[in-house]
Amino acid sequence: SRSHFGSYLESRRRSPSKPFWLRLEMTGTRDENVFMAKVAEQAERYEDMVEYMQRVAKMGSELNPDERNLLSVAYKNSVGARRQAWRAVNTLEQRERQASKAQAIIDLITTYRQKVEAELDSKCSDILAILNDELIPKAGRADAKVFYYKMRGDYCRYKAEFASGENHSKCAQEAHDAYQSASETAISELPPTHPQRLGLALNFSVFYYEVFSTPEKACLLAKAAFDDAMAVMDSLDEDSYKDSAAIMQLLRDNLTLWTSDMQSPAAEMDGTTLEFNIAKPDA
């Protein structure tokens, strides 16, 4: 966040040992890349942010919560822009086909969709490789394991959104298995109100609804997570309460949407399902 970035700069300035910018140059490659990722975030240059956090993730040591969050924000924005573009072009392509437009026009749109698709697939594959090769094997804490397995599930789910045939089935199953691994750790080791556990339940339920097309399972999962958290919400301090309540509201909103759709069989999903988009750093 911008306030976090400001605090980071202020802490650097207050150190009495050396001038701020000289100290920055002397902190080493890891600190420099983390710092520049925060600068790139402020400038909303998410491709640069991805590059800086890729370097950090491949340095061989476990990421701290702040670094995990920066990595998530970088890829979520980079991939999110391409997911939105793919949906727009895919919708246009389907509309033009239904309108029986000239094949030459449809071919142009199809070629462009495939270009966006290739970029999207490449970005998802990049972060999945980092998760599988670098981050998951080094994860020690339960919250880190949940964070990374949820992330793996998310990006396999994104690949399933545009994949077809056997590749769709493969990506969907890989997403399910990653979410399931995250859920097993979350349920056994994290409290029901933990933001990582709630965010996982939110996205896993979205997966069941949108990819596996099992709205009953999606509703059961979302409702169980909501009810488990609600039972102990009164024990939280103010900050923790706000973090948990924000995600619980998304769970409730999805439940309302899905229940309405299930009661109206003719209704089609309109893309308004909500998910946990930005990972929060641990308290």
Side-chain angles (χ1 to χ4, degrees):
S1 67
R2 295 181 187 274
S3 60
H4 188 169
F5 180 71
S7 299
Y8 178 87
L9 293 178
E10 187 62 24
S11 67
R12 290 285 186 178
R13 292 191 182 98
R14 288 180 179 176
S15 175
S17 56
K18 295 179 181 179
F20 167 60
W21 292 109
L22 179 59
R23 288 199 309 277
L24 177 63
E25 293 171 359
M26 300 297 288
T27 54
T29 304
R30 188 184 191 91
D31 281 352
E32 289 173 5
N33 279 285
V34 169
F35 175 82
M36 289 308 301
K38 294 178 179 180
V39 172
E41 181 183 12
Q42 297 305 300
E44 297 184 356
R45 289 180 57 87
Y46 296 109
E47 302 307 314
D48 293 343
M49 192 180 180
V50 162
E51 183 177 343
Y52 291 125
M53 291 313 300
Q54 276 184 338
R55 295 173 188 169
V56 175
K58 293 178 180 179
M59 286 181 180
S61 58
E62 188 172 359
L63 302 187
N64 63 39
D66 185 43
E67 291 165 346
R68 290 203 310 256
N69 190 55
L70 287 169
L71 179 73
S72 178
V73 169
Y75 271 98
K76 187 64 69 174
N77 282 278
S78 175
V79 170
R82 289 169 173 83
R83 287 176 73 204
Q84 185 175 356
W86 182 87
R87 287 170 175 168
V89 176
N90 185 60
T91 298
L92 176 62
E93 181 182 3
Q94 298 306 316
R95 187 166 64 237
E96 295 301 287
R97 288 186 186 279
Q98 292 171 3
S100 301
K101 292 294 181 70
Q103 188 60 43
I105 294 176
I106 295 174
D107 288 345
L108 286 172
I109 299 172
T110 300
T111 299
Y112 191 67
R113 172 183 56 76
Q114 291 170 342
K115 176 180 184 294
V116 176
E117 216 166 88
E119 289 183 11
L120 184 51
D121 183 69
S122 176
K123 288 293 181 181
C124 290
S125 296
D126 283 349
I127 185 57
L128 287 169
I130 291 172
L131 288 165
N132 295 336
D133 299 340
E134 304 286 344
L135 301 180
I136 291 176
K138 298 182 180 70
R141 292 173 41 174
D143 59 339
K145 292 176 183 178
V146 172
F147 188 100
Y148 293 139
Y149 275 111
K150 173 190 164 294
M151 226 175 148
R152 178 197 275 181
D154 288 342
Y155 286 92
C156 288
R157 171 163 60 93
Y158 301 157
K159 293 186 74 166
E161 288 176 346
F162 60 83
S164 58
E166 291 184 4
N167 194 33
H168 170 82
S169 299
K170 176 177 179 291
C171 292
Q173 189 60 50
E174 288 175 350
H176 175 273
D177 293 347
Y179 284 136
Q180 187 62 42
S181 295
S183 292
E184 291 170 1
T185 300
I187 292 171
S188 65
E189 300 190 47
L190 298 181
T193 54
H194 195 291
Q196 293 303 332
R197 179 168 166 175
L198 287 170
L200 168 64
L202 180 64
N203 284 18
F204 199 2
S205 62
V206 168
F207 166 82
Y208 273 118
Y209 189 77
E210 294 189 340
V211 180
F212 268 10
S213 299
T214 51
E216 296 86 358
K217 179 70 174 177
C219 289
L220 284 173
L221 196 159
K223 187 176 187 305
F226 183 92
D227 291 345
D228 288 348
M230 183 61 70
V232 294
M233 282 291 282
D234 290 343
S235 64
L236 300 180
D237 60 38
E238 184 178 355
D239 289 340
S240 297
Y241 187 95
K242 288 180 179 178
D243 288 343
S244 299
I247 307 172
M248 290 173 68
Q249 183 61 53
L250 297 180
L251 283 165
R252 173 179 280 180
D253 290 345
N254 279 351
L255 278 168
T256 301
L257 172 67
W258 297 340
T259 302
S260 174
D261 284 352
M262 289 167 64
Q263 292 171 349
S264 304
E268 296 182 358
M269 290 185 294
D270 60 3
T272 56
T273 294
L274 304 170
E275 61 181 279
F276 188 48
N277 279 326
I278 302 299
K280 295 178 180 295
D282 299 337

